[in-house]
Amino acid sequence: MKLSDELPVDHQLTTVYRYGAALCGLTLLVFGILGFADELSPFSTHGHHIAGMSTNGLLSVISVVVGLALIAGGIVGGNLASTLNMVIGTLFLLSGFVHLFILDRSANVLDFGMTNVLFSFIMGLIILTFGMYGRVSSKLPHDNPYWRRRHAREAARESLAVRRRGHEERPSLPTGGASAGRALPTTDAQREG
């Protein structure tokens, strides 16, 4: 299965992808905007803190751009939101690992501190989970479009069996016309007699 396989537009998984992307994007957007509000210099590494994390102007720009990308993915929804969540979640995890090794070095141009590294790991896992939800698992339900795509023959057999069962279970009209099986109303003369 390719990541580009299409998810039905009305499938309930698209809601998870949309809200997940939008929620994480909004969090990053707020963090970036707070950095701009403090008028941070782009490459400052003097320990300016916002929401408990160290930041600078460059990190604020990156946060705003990634936040807007996630919000746009949430608006579009479907496979785009899912794939975008998986890509950005993976990038956050990689960023956490990279910055873990360059914390106290001159290569730390984003002014990451340990709280930033932890945030990067946690946010990466959350975004990645939203992207993979219902898409990457060994035990997907059989009505899941990704399972159906991966197991096309079995899905076709199940659909055929469901259609046959539905055809057999249709109620048939009783024989003898519409009045068969119904008691006829009795009149007063029949009751007395």
Side-chain angles (χ1 to χ4, degrees):
M1 184 179 121
K2 298 176 184 173
L3 287 180
S4 61
D5 290 343
E6 287 302 315
L7 179 72
V9 175
D10 61 344
H11 199 275
Q12 56 197 351
L13 286 175
T14 194
T15 305
V16 175
Y17 304 147
R18 282 176 178 239
Y19 287 122
L23 177 68
C24 294
L26 189 62
T27 303
L28 293 171
L29 188 62
V30 167
F31 178 74
I33 289 172
L34 288 174
F36 287 134
D38 268 4
E39 298 176 6
L40 301 172
S41 61
F43 298 103
S44 171
T45 56
H46 297 304
H48 295 286
H49 290 277
I50 294 177
M53 292 182 284
S54 57
T55 188
N56 61 19
L58 182 59
L59 185 58
S60 293
V61 169
I62 292 171
S63 298
V64 167
V65 169
V66 173
L68 289 174
L70 283 170
I71 291 171
I75 291 169
V76 173
N79 282 358
L80 176 72
S82 172
T83 304
L84 187 66
N85 283 345
M86 291 193 317
V87 168
I88 291 178
T90 302
L91 291 175
F92 262 82
L93 290 176
L94 290 174
S95 171
F97 281 116
V98 167
H99 284 93
L100 189 60
F101 292 107
I102 63 170
L103 273 179
D104 294 325
R105 296 194 170 93
S106 60
N108 188 4
V109 294
L110 296 179
D111 194 28
F112 261 53
M114 195 56 176
T115 54
N116 296 71
V117 171
L118 292 174
F119 177 80
S120 190
F121 283 137
I122 293 168
M123 184 60 87
L125 287 173
I126 291 170
I127 296 171
L128 196 57
T129 301
F130 276 126
M132 292 189 309
Y133 183 79
R135 190 169 183 172
V136 179
S137 174
S138 61
K139 297 185 181 190
L140 294 173
H142 290 206
D143 68 337
N144 184 296
Y146 298 108
W147 182 90
R148 298 183 75 72
R149 182 74 81 150
R150 291 177 196 148
H151 304 89
R153 287 184 181 165
E154 192 174 341
R157 272 187 258 128
E158 286 182 4
S159 293
L160 182 61
V162 167
R163 276 188 263 138
R164 284 182 181 163
R165 256 184 289 159
H167 181 67
E168 292 170 1
E169 293 175 0
R170 285 189 187 146
S172 57
L173 290 175
T175 55
S179 62
R182 279 194 240 155
L184 295 175
T186 56
T187 62
D188 289 334
Q190 288 173 332
R191 277 190 214 123
E192 290 173 7

